[in-house]
Amino acid sequence: MIVLAVDCMGGDHGLSVTLPACRQFLDNHPDAQLLLVGRPDDLQGFAHERARVVPATEVVAMEDAVEVALRKKKDSSMRVAIQQVKDGAAQAAVSAGNTGALMAIARYLLKTLEGIERPAIATQMPNAKGSATTVLDLGANVDCTAEHLLQFAVMGSALVSVLKNDDQPTVGLLNIGEEAIKGSDEIKRAGELLRAAKASGDLNFIGNVEGNDIFKGTADIVVCDGFVGNVALKTSEGLAMMIVQFLREEFSRNLLTKLAAAVSYPVLSALKKRMDHRRYNGAALLGLRGLVFKSHGSADAVAFEQALCRAYDAASHQLLARVQSRIAHAAPLLAAPARPAVPSVA
Amino acid sequence: MIVLAVDCMGGDHGLSVTLPACRQFLDNHPDAQLLLVGRPDDLQGFAHERARVVPATEVVAMEDAVEVALRKKKDSSMRVAIQQVKDGAAQAAVSAGNTGALMAIARYLLKTLEGIERPAIATQMPNAKGSATTVLDLGANVDCTAEHLLQFAVMGSALVSVLKNDDQPTVGLLNIGEEAIKGSDEIKRAGELLRAAKASGDLNFIGNVEGNDIFKGTADIVVCDGFVGNVALKTSEGLAMMIVQFLREEFSRNLLTKLAAAVSYPVLSALKKRMDHRRYNGAALLGLRGLVFKSHGSADAVAFEQALCRAYDAASHQLLARVQSRIAHAAPLLAAPARPAVPSVA
């Protein structure tokens, strides 16, 4: 039995999205159980034999400062959901709330794994191969050292080994050119560490990749600092929205184009389905001593259910143990000095 | 009379693209004159009363290292074209060659403007408002200080004042959230400098913007370091290519979808035209004592002609003088200490 703790109050739409998603999820997963965290009055109407209400009197608002969420709202649905993971009552927590608050509370309650300095946020983006590229970090860390990027690569590999059932997923380092000499000093040093991790069998590193490779699907995992990852994600969202707007405008221009839209309906809806960001909802907070998944704040019920599925998959495939074992295997590298030491002659 | 020096040998396609583009450009610009730089044997077939061949015996290859281009190929078409600007024989140079080599040679020959430490590359990206957003830097500088970002903002404003005929174009600072407290220390400090520049009337700074704002058209100019800008640009190219591939696949799936494609032809070609990256070809190298424009290496004749038009517009609207005058106006800020000094009580 997989048990997930759900922050039912979080996100832009709260209960109106989380509860229908929970019901759909339970119907599709007969071996799953949900802990519905939130105000009991709001949740009592939800009756299901595999769901149980866990009370929480407060709600972290989308605009709450991290400090407020962490220090003042100690009985928030977000915090109580993560506490369930810490207490062993649930294998994973899912929330659509404020990302900064979620990361801060998760880090405070669960602590980071041995060997990990900074947790990271990993998400999936669709690629031209019909698959998905996992990108991390997405904004948890604005300044990263080469060692952090190596840790992200190891954690991302563990995540993808679960999602894709592939033990040697490929890793690319996001850079501004394919040549090893490109990028800042920190990026070049990250390249050295990643090459060492390939040599030691810890990673299937394929070298530098560029922004377009995310959508080409050149590597299963693309590693970058949180600033760059966040910009890449948001830029893509902006471009996709603009293209949808252009398509809508062009197809509604006059009677003929409207007719074309009607004739093209099956094509356009197939395209929409392939591009549907809801299918990729559910970012993993990696590097913590417990599983936490973040849904997009504006998720609808279909998207939120995806985030629940992702948490379920991670829990049922022992993502935490896999991350820990990969981190342990790579420990000599993660603890190594920045530059390879001169080999001892002893 | 506007005179442009054209590196006819550069780019993936060389003469087969540059020469037809030059002819079209001359036909459309009766007051323009071109200096065609390259191997005389290759160029002698191009006869036009407003074109003159300037011989250069070497060609910088797309894969040449910057050092090779700069130190070994002293008679390259790229270098000779830029030399024309330095000598005052042309008001601007245009090349589709290797970006790194072009920037290095331009910097070496022309030097940077007073008050500018680092030249930047600025390009335009289409936005949902039907206009274009100017983004810089696009990869010339991987590590930037707050002062560099302020210089980019000032130079970008001068460029857009020419392109859009608007003296107070809006400037946004690319960040991972709209709040002033977001981002790395350097980005926060850049925000302080940009706010000071708004207060002194040097810039129309509107605050932080996120990746999606590039395509929303929230600001006329988006400022970022070259690493982030390059990733944003390449990521967008990758997504656009994937969407085009998906559209093509979905429309060619069977007889019915092919029929839909035929009916939708006017819509799809209108969309293609709106999204056509060739319309945005021609990035400006800003901060040098001379005008240099970079065409995409894979540009076709239509795209290369756009780059020529952009250089023509810049030269005919005195872009160089405008950049200089804005930089001079902002000099007290650019020379200011990183943090505002304590006001003197004298």
Side-chain angles (χ1 to χ4, degrees), chain B:
Chain B
M1 181 70 79
I2 301 291
V3 186
L4 304 180
V6 184
D7 168 9
C8 292
M9 316 302 287
D12 297 344
H13 312 297
L15 299 160
S16 67
V17 155
T18 55
L19 292 187
C22 285
R23 184 167 303 281
Q24 191 65 46
F25 171 81
L26 286 167
D27 288 349
N28 292 333
H29 295 82
D31 69 333
Q33 193 179 318
L34 294 181
L35 304 181
L36 308 176
V37 186
R39 293 196 195 99
D41 287 356
D42 291 330
L43 296 171
Q44 63 181 5
F46 191 97
H48 194 288
E49 52 175 352
R50 284 181 281 116
R52 184 163 65 78
V53 172
V54 176
T57 55
E58 293 172 300
V59 177
V60 173
M62 293 309 266
E63 62 282 2
D64 275 349
V66 168
E67 289 69 31
V68 171
L70 194 60
R71 316 264 167 233
K72 309 274 181 195
K73 295 189 169 176
K74 297 201 175 169
D75 198 38
S76 71
S77 55
M78 185 186 277
R79 182 161 177 161
V80 173
I82 296 170
Q83 187 69 44
Q84 303 309 304
V85 176
K86 182 176 165 97
D87 295 344
Q91 283 116 302
V94 181
S95 174
N98 183 331
T99 311
L102 185 67
M103 180 53 100
I105 295 173
R107 200 171 166 169
Y108 177 75
L109 289 182
L110 299 174
K111 315 296 180 206
T112 52
L113 286 170
E114 180 81 33
I116 296 294
E117 285 161 44
R118 307 244 200 123
I121 302 176
T123 197
Q124 295 201 293
M125 289 160 93
N127 67 38
K129 290 186 175 163
S131 176
T133 305
T134 296
V135 184
L136 76 165
D137 175 43
L138 264 306
N141 307 284
V142 290
D143 281 314
C144 292
T145 64
E147 286 74 17
H148 296 142
L149 293 169
L150 172 60
Q151 292 170 17
F152 297 170
V154 172
M155 296 193 291
S157 294
L159 176 64
V160 173
S161 76
V162 165
L163 297 172
K164 286 198 170 174
N165 200 19
D166 171 0
D167 250 12
Q168 291 292 320
T170 53
V171 176
L173 175 64
L174 190 59
N175 204 335
I176 59 171
E178 284 169 22
E179 310 82 6
I181 53 147
K182 292 273 187 178
S184 66
D185 291 342
E186 210 55 40
I187 291 283
K188 283 182 223 165
R189 214 160 60 72
E192 288 173 24
L193 287 179
L194 290 164
R195 277 188 291 278
K198 181 182 171 69
S200 64
D202 285 297
L203 285 177
N204 187 4
F205 179 56
I206 61 162
N208 287 339
V209 296
E210 298 188 72
N212 51 338
D213 289 304
I214 295 173
F215 292 105
K216 271 192 190 168
T218 309
D220 294 318
I221 299 139
V222 171
V223 173
C224 55
D225 76 44
F227 193 98
V228 170
N230 187 283
V231 168
L233 179 72
K234 293 269 175 72
T235 302
S236 307
E237 285 177 3
L239 175 56
M241 281 179 66
M242 183 181 80
I243 292 176
V244 168
Q245 178 197 317
F246 281 4
L247 268 171
R248 198 169 283 146
E249 284 173 9
E250 293 300 338
F251 271 116
S252 60
R253 202 167 279 285
N254 57 45
L255 205 64
L256 271 177
T257 59
K258 283 178 188 162
L259 175 71
V263 175
S264 304
Y265 181 77
V267 175
L268 296 176
S269 57
L271 182 76
K272 197 174 160 190
K273 200 170 165 192
R274 278 177 83 161
M275 299 286 303
D276 192 350
H277 59 86
R278 298 181 301 178
R279 285 170 57 199
Y280 302 95
N281 191 40
L285 273 54
L286 294 174
L288 300 163
R289 297 174 192 265
L291 296 178
V292 180
F293 281 77
K294 162 80 176 86
S295 159
H296 206 290
S298 67
D300 65 8
V302 171
F304 194 77
E305 192 203 344
Q306 270 301 313
L308 294 174
C309 291
R310 227 164 268 276
Y312 172 90
D313 288 343
S316 56
H317 290 89
Q318 286 81 41
L319 173 60
L320 200 57
R322 291 204 200 200
V323 171
Q324 275 174 312
S325 118
R326 280 186 179 250
I327 292 286
H329 194 267
L333 272 173
L334 291 168
R339 307 266 164 193
V342 177
S344 154
V345 287

Side-chain angles (χ1 to χ4, degrees), chain A residues 48-346:
Chain A
H48 194 289
E49 52 175 353
R50 285 181 282 114
R52 184 164 65 78
V53 172
V54 175
T57 54
E58 292 171 300
V59 177
V60 173
M62 294 308 267
E63 62 282 1
D64 276 349
V66 168
E67 290 69 30
V68 171
L70 195 59
R71 314 264 169 236
K72 309 272 181 198
K73 295 188 170 176
K74 296 201 175 169
D75 197 36
S76 72
S77 54
M78 185 186 276
R79 182 160 177 163
V80 173
I82 296 171
Q83 186 69 42
Q84 304 307 304
V85 176
K86 182 174 164 99
D87 294 346
Q91 283 117 302
V94 181
S95 174
N98 183 329
T99 311
L102 186 68
M103 181 52 101
I105 294 173
R107 200 171 166 169
Y108 177 75
L109 289 182
L110 300 173
K111 315 295 178 206
T112 52
L113 286 169
E114 181 80 35
I116 296 295
E117 286 162 43
R118 306 245 199 123
I121 303 175
T123 198
Q124 295 202 292
M125 289 161 93
N127 67 38
K129 289 185 175 163
S131 177
T133 305
T134 296
V135 183
L136 76 166
D137 175 44
L138 264 306
N141 307 284
V142 290
D143 281 313
C144 292
T145 65
E147 286 75 16
H148 295 143
L149 293 169
L150 172 61
Q151 292 171 16
F152 298 169
V154 172
M155 297 193 291
S157 294
L159 175 65
V160 173
S161 76
V162 165
L163 297 173
K164 286 199 171 174
N165 200 20
D166 171 359
D167 251 11
Q168 292 292 318
T170 53
V171 176
L173 175 64
L174 191 58
N175 205 334
I176 59 171
E178 284 169 22
E179 309 82 7
I181 53 148
K182 291 274 186 177
S184 66
D185 291 342
E186 210 55 41
I187 291 283
K188 282 182 222 164
R189 215 159 60 73
E192 288 173 23
L193 287 179
L194 290 164
R195 277 188 292 277
K198 182 183 171 70
S200 64
D202 286 296
L203 286 177
N204 188 4
F205 179 57
I206 61 162
N208 289 339
V209 296
E210 298 189 71
N212 49 338
D213 289 304
I214 295 173
F215 292 104
K216 270 192 190 168
T218 309
D220 294 318
I221 298 138
V222 171
V223 174
C224 56
D225 76 42
F227 193 99
V228 171
N230 187 282
V231 168
L233 180 71
K234 293 269 174 73
T235 303
S236 307
E237 286 177 2
L239 175 56
M241 281 179 67
M242 184 182 79
I243 292 175
V244 168
Q245 177 198 317
F246 282 5
L247 268 171
R248 197 167 285 146
E249 285 173 8
E250 293 300 336
F251 270 116
S252 60
R253 202 168 281 284
N254 57 45
L255 205 63
L256 271 178
T257 61
K258 283 177 188 164
L259 175 70
V263 174
S264 303
Y265 180 77
V267 175
L268 295 176
S269 57
L271 182 76
K272 197 174 161 191
K273 200 171 165 193
R274 277 175 86 163
M275 299 286 303
D276 192 351
H277 60 87
R278 297 181 303 178
R279 286 170 56 199
Y280 303 94
N281 191 38
L285 273 54
L286 294 173
L288 300 162
R289 297 174 192 266
L291 297 177
V292 180
F293 281 78
K294 163 78 177 88
S295 159
H296 206 291
S298 66
D300 64 9
V302 172
F304 194 77
E305 192 203 345
Q306 270 301 314
L308 294 174
C309 293
R310 227 164 268 275
Y312 171 90
D313 288 344
S316 55
H317 290 90
Q318 286 81 40
L319 173 61
L320 200 57
R322 291 204 200 200
V323 172
Q324 276 174 311
S325 117
R326 280 185 179 250
I327 292 286
H329 195 266
L333 272 173
L334 291 168
R339 307 265 165 192
V342 178
S344 154
V345 286

